[in-house]
Amino acid sequence: MYVAFPFSSNLFFSSMRMDEDAVFANNQLLTTQDGVCSFSMGWRAFTIITPNVIEEGAMKEDSGMQDTPYNTDILVEQLTLCVDYLWKSERHELIADVNKPIIAVFEKKRDFRRLSELYYDIHRSYLKVTEVVNSEKRFFGRYYRVAFYGQAVGFFEEEEGKEYIYKEPKLTGLSEISQRLQKIYSDKFGAENVKLIQDSNKVNPKDLDPKFAYIQVTYVMPYFDEKELQERVTDFERHHNIKHFVFESPFTLSGKKHGGVEEQCKRRTVLTTSHTFPYVKKRIEVVNQTSTELNPIEVAIDEMSKKVSELNELCTVDEVDMIRLQLKLHGSVSTKVNAGPMAYARAFIEEKNAKKYPDNQVKLVKEIFRQFAQVCGQALELNGRLIKQDQLEYQEEMKSHYRDMLSELSAIMNEQITYREDFLRQGLERQHIFQAISKQNTSVQGTSIAE
C-alpha cells in the first residue's frame, strides 16, 4: 500500500494498493506490529477526494508490503504533508476532507490538543474559501489535447495515434507547451524529423508524410453537461475531478476554415479521459470522443447564448468585476465592434433570410436576442451605478450605442425592443431556453479510441 504525493502542479493524490477481498473482509487500512487493527476507515475514506482511488484500492499489495507495518503515525505524517501542499496549491476546499482521517485517529487517542489544532486549520481553510471562491484569483491550470502521429518510421511506438490530455500549470500558453514538446521530441528524433500540426482538425494519418513525426497540440476546456453545470457552481468544482474536455473547430461547407456568419459552421469535440484530473501524472490518455457539427444558425444560437450567459453571470455576482463587465458591455453594444451580434440578427432574423431556416430555430434566435437586449440593459444600468465621476462620459457613450442597437434590432425583428426590468426578471427565469441548443445539434457520432 502506498500514498503518493507528487510535488508538481498536479498536487498530491492518494493512491492505495490493497487486495480487494481484504478490503471488504477486514476493511483494515492500518495494522500494528502485533497485527491488531488500529484504524478501519480503509481506502474508501479518500473517494470523496478523488474517484481515482477506487481503481487503485482494488489493486493487490506489492510483494513484501506485509513485512512493513503501516501505522497511524505514518498515516498522520503523510496526510499532514498532503494538507501542507493543499495550502500551497490553493486547493482549500479539500483540506477538511483530508483532515477527517487524522481527526479519527486523534479522537481514538483522545488527543484533544491536536484535535483543536485540526479544527482550527479547517476553520481557516473555509475562511479562505469564502475569500477566494469565484474570485478568479486562483489559477487551476490549463489543459491541452496532444496527439502523436508517425507510424511509418515507428517514432512514437506505443504512443502512435494516441491522444492525451496534458494538464499544464497556471496560465501556460499554447505556444509554450508546443515549443516544449517540439524540443523534447526533436532531441529524441532529430529536429529535422519533427513537425507540429497547427490546427485542431481531425487528422488522417494516411495524409501525413511518413518521414516525419507529427505532434498536434490543441487547447481544450473542461466540459460539463447541463446537470453537471447546475451541480458544479464554483471555479474549484469546475476544475476538480474532471475527465471531459471540449474544443471547437470552425469550418464551412465550401472547404474554407472561415466564412461569413451565414456559412460558418463549427465542429464541437468532447474528449473523455481514462481518469480524472488532478492525477498522479500530468497527462491522461483519451479513451473516447464525440463530435457534434453545428450549422450556421446553430452557431449563431450557441454564440449569442454564451454572450447572454456571460453578461448574466457578471451582473449577478456579489462582487462585480468592473473591468470584465465593461469589456463585455463594450463588445456587445459598441457600434465599432457589434458587427458580430448584429450580423447574426441580419443573417437569421431578417424576413428575407429567415425563410431559409426552420421556424423553431428562427424563433429561438429571436428569443435569445430579446434576452440579449435586456441583459445588455441590465449591465449598462449596473455599470452606471458603480462608475465614478470620471467615467460618466463613457457611460453616456455606451447608452447611445445601446439605443442605436435597440433601434436596429427593432427594425430587423419588426417589433419594438426596449429595456424593461420586469421582462429581464422573467428572462432570467427562462434560462432553460438556451439549453435547447444542445438538443438541436446535428451529426452526433461517438467513437471509442481504446476499447
Side-chain angles (χ1 to χ4, degrees), residues 424-435:
L424 178 63
R425 285 193 293 270
Q426 295 170 15
L428 291 175
E429 295 170 359
R430 297 201 301 269
Q431 287 302 304
H432 65 274
I433 289 175
F434 306 127
Q435 296 159 2

Side-chain angles (χ1 to χ4, degrees), residues 37-54:
C37 175
S38 63
F39 189 75
S40 60
M41 293 182 77
W43 58 267
R44 289 171 177 265
F46 301 93
T47 57
I48 193 172
I49 300 169
T50 171
N52 293 324
V53 78
I54 296 175

Side-chain angles (χ1 to χ4, degrees), residues 142-147 149 163-168 172-175 177-178 181 196-203 215-221 245-250 257 267 269 271 286:
R142 287 183 174 176
Y143 303 90
Y144 294 90
R145 177 195 67 156
V146 179
Y149 305 97
E163 298 180 12
Y164 298 86
I165 298 297
Y166 278 64
K167 181 180 184 296
E168 295 296 309
T172 302
L174 178 62
S175 61
I177 181 177
S178 297
L181 289 172
L196 287 177
I197 298 176
Q198 301 291 342
D199 60 54
S200 60
N201 292 326
K202 190 172 182 61
V203 173
I215 305 171
Q216 185 182 34
V217 185
T218 308
Y219 173 68
V220 298
M221 298 179 63
F245 301 86
V246 64
F247 68 92
E248 296 177 345
S249 307
K257 192 171 184 179
R267 183 178 298 106
T269 302
L271 307 171
V286 173

Side-chain angles (χ1 to χ4, degrees), residues 307-316 325 367-383 385 402 406 417-434:
K307 289 182 180 293
V308 173
S309 296
E310 289 170 353
L311 282 169
N312 269 332
E313 185 176 341
L314 288 170
C315 291
T316 54
L325 176 66
E367 178 61 23
I368 292 172
F369 266 95
R370 294 186 190 102
Q371 299 288 330
F372 178 66
Q374 298 309 309
V375 76
C376 285
Q378 184 192 23
L380 190 59
E381 190 176 85
L382 178 61
N383 188 68
R385 293 200 303 267
Y402 179 60
L406 291 183
I417 304 296
T418 58
Y419 172 57
R420 305 197 313 274
E421 290 189 31
D422 59 330
F423 184 93
L424 178 63
R425 285 193 293 270
Q426 295 170 15
L428 291 175
E429 295 170 359
R430 297 201 301 269
Q431 287 302 304
H432 65 274
I433 289 175
F434 306 127

Side-chain angles (χ1 to χ4, degrees), residues 1-233:
M1 175 178 58
Y2 69 90
V3 180
F5 305 101
F7 301 136
S8 68
S9 64
N10 285 317
L11 203 71
F12 79 99
F13 272 98
S14 309
S15 300
M16 306 195 169
R17 294 181 181 269
M18 301 191 73
D19 178 76
E20 189 172 16
D21 293 333
V23 169
F24 291 105
N26 300 316
N27 198 28
Q28 296 179 356
L29 177 62
L30 306 171
T31 55
T32 58
Q33 291 284 358
D34 57 4
V36 178
C37 175
S38 63
F39 189 75
S40 60
M41 293 182 77
W43 58 267
R44 289 171 177 265
F46 301 93
T47 57
I48 193 172
I49 300 169
T50 171
N52 293 324
V53 78
I54 296 175
E55 178 184 279
E56 304 211 15
M59 297 176 67
K60 292 186 178 181
E61 294 178 351
D62 290 334
S63 176
M65 289 300 294
Q66 295 175 343
D67 299 332
T68 306
Y70 192 91
N71 56 42
T72 55
D73 291 337
I74 297 174
L75 174 70
V76 169
E77 179 184 343
Q78 293 187 323
L79 291 182
T80 301
L81 184 60
C82 271
V83 171
D84 183 44
Y85 278 99
L86 286 172
W87 277 108
K88 291 178 180 178
S89 61
E90 298 182 290
R91 301 234 170 201
H92 313 109
E93 288 86 345
L94 296 176
I95 290 174
D97 288 324
V98 176
N99 269 321
K100 285 176 183 177
I102 308 178
I103 290 173
V105 171
F106 288 121
E107 282 179 341
K108 187 165 186 175
K109 291 184 177 182
R110 296 176 178 79
D111 190 334
F112 303 114
R113 183 185 64 81
R114 290 299 305 274
L115 285 170
S116 68
E117 292 172 352
L118 287 169
Y119 280 112
Y120 179 67
D121 196 45
I122 293 173
H123 167 72
R124 289 195 306 119
S125 71
Y126 282 130
L127 285 179
K128 194 64 179 178
V129 171
T130 60
E131 176 186 330
V132 300
V133 65
N134 290 335
S135 67
E136 298 190 356
K137 294 178 181 178
R138 290 184 292 179
F139 301 106
F140 293 104
R142 287 183 174 176
Y143 303 90
Y144 294 90
R145 177 195 67 156
V146 179
F148 300 97
Y149 305 97
Q151 61 179 0
V153 183
F155 285 115
F156 296 110
E157 299 177 347
E158 70 276 3
E159 290 183 339
E160 158 59 30
K162 290 186 178 180
E163 298 180 12
Y164 298 86
I165 298 297
Y166 278 64
K167 181 180 184 296
E168 295 296 309
K170 302 290 184 179
L171 298 175
T172 302
L174 178 62
S175 61
E176 183 178 345
I177 181 177
S178 297
Q179 291 171 10
R180 189 181 79 236
L181 289 172
Q182 187 171 31
K183 183 180 187 308
I184 290 173
Y185 288 99
S186 292
D187 291 345
K188 185 175 182 179
F189 303 137
E192 70 280 1
N193 296 318
V194 178
K195 288 191 174 184
L196 287 177
I197 298 176
Q198 301 291 342
D199 60 54
S200 60
N201 292 326
K202 190 172 182 61
V203 173
N204 183 353
K206 295 180 180 179
D207 297 334
L208 301 177
D209 190 325
K211 299 192 300 293
F212 299 102
Y214 292 87
I215 305 171
Q216 185 182 34
V217 185
T218 308
Y219 173 68
V220 298
M221 298 179 63
Y223 171 81
F224 309 101
D225 59 26
E226 177 185 330
K227 183 174 183 293
E228 282 185 302
L229 276 177
Q230 293 175 350
E231 295 172 348
R232 294 177 180 256
V233 178

Side-chain angles (χ1 to χ4, degrees), residues 235-251:
D235 290 339
F236 170 79
E237 290 166 345
R238 294 184 179 183
H239 286 85
H240 182 66
N241 286 341
I242 54 176
K243 63 185 303 182
H244 303 293
F245 301 86
V246 64
F247 68 92
E248 296 177 345
S249 307
F251 71 96

